[in-house]
Amino acid sequence: MGKILSFRDLIAWQKAMDLADAIYDATENFPPRERLGLAYQMRKSAVSIPSNIAEGHRRRTPSYVHFLEIALGSHGELDTQCELATRRKFLSERDVRRLSDLLAEVGRLTHGLLRSVETSAQDQTNP
């Protein structure tokens, strides 16, 4: 693996961007009454995940952990919103499969990044 020079080099950020793109695509066909409701909330949560990964990467370790925790909170919100959209039958079966796969992958990657940053912070304080 190459050196991480930018948040754009983080696989967690890249996959979170893929998820945000997929959410925008999936919510395009929501009923008009949901465009300012659930679709808006899903897009907002989806955008928050890579945004917080990027913002955290630009800061020092304690803040980085904080922003990754916010990203994971947004991930939980989006997972719940996708479940509601599925129950309301606003998403196609294809979209449900794709979003479920991306949500799982982004969750794993972001949790892994958080563990890595926490471990690095502990190593710096306990030489």
Side-chain angles (χ1 to χ4, degrees):
M1 183 175 146
K3 186 172 173 107
I4 303 295
L5 301 175
S6 163
F7 61 85
R8 287 181 173 84
D9 297 325
L10 297 168
I11 295 170
W13 179 84
Q14 294 168 11
K15 291 298 182 173
M17 288 294 290
D18 292 345
L19 175 59
D21 275 338
I23 289 294
Y24 267 78
D25 289 344
T27 57
E28 276 297 312
N29 297 319
F30 273 33
R33 69 183 182 280
E34 289 299 330
R35 294 225 171 90
L36 295 175
L38 186 57
Y40 171 77
Q41 288 297 321
M42 290 173 72
R43 288 175 173 195
K44 187 175 172 185
S45 296
V47 168
S48 177
I49 300 168
S51 297
N52 278 289
I53 292 170
E55 186 168 357
H57 187 265
R58 297 269 172 115
R59 297 176 180 258
R60 300 268 184 233
T61 301
S63 290
Y64 198 174
V65 168
H66 174 72
F67 282 99
L68 290 174
E69 289 170 341
I70 293 170
L72 287 167
S74 296
H75 178 272
E77 289 178 3
L78 182 57
D79 196 0
T80 299
Q81 293 156 356
C82 285
E83 177 65 25
L84 181 58
T86 300
R87 289 180 179 200
R88 301 296 305 161
K89 299 185 181 4
F90 295 156
L91 295 169
S92 69
E93 286 185 33
R94 181 177 170 261
D95 285 336
V96 170
R97 281 191 303 277
R98 178 152 194 249
L99 295 176
S100 293
D101 290 347
L102 281 168
L103 274 162
E105 185 173 20
V106 168
R108 281 190 306 273
L109 290 166
T110 308
H111 276 286
L113 180 57
L114 176 60
R115 282 190 302 276
S116 175
V117 170
E118 287 174 330
T119 299
S120 176
Q122 288 173 353
D123 290 348
Q124 290 173 3
T125 58
N126 299 322

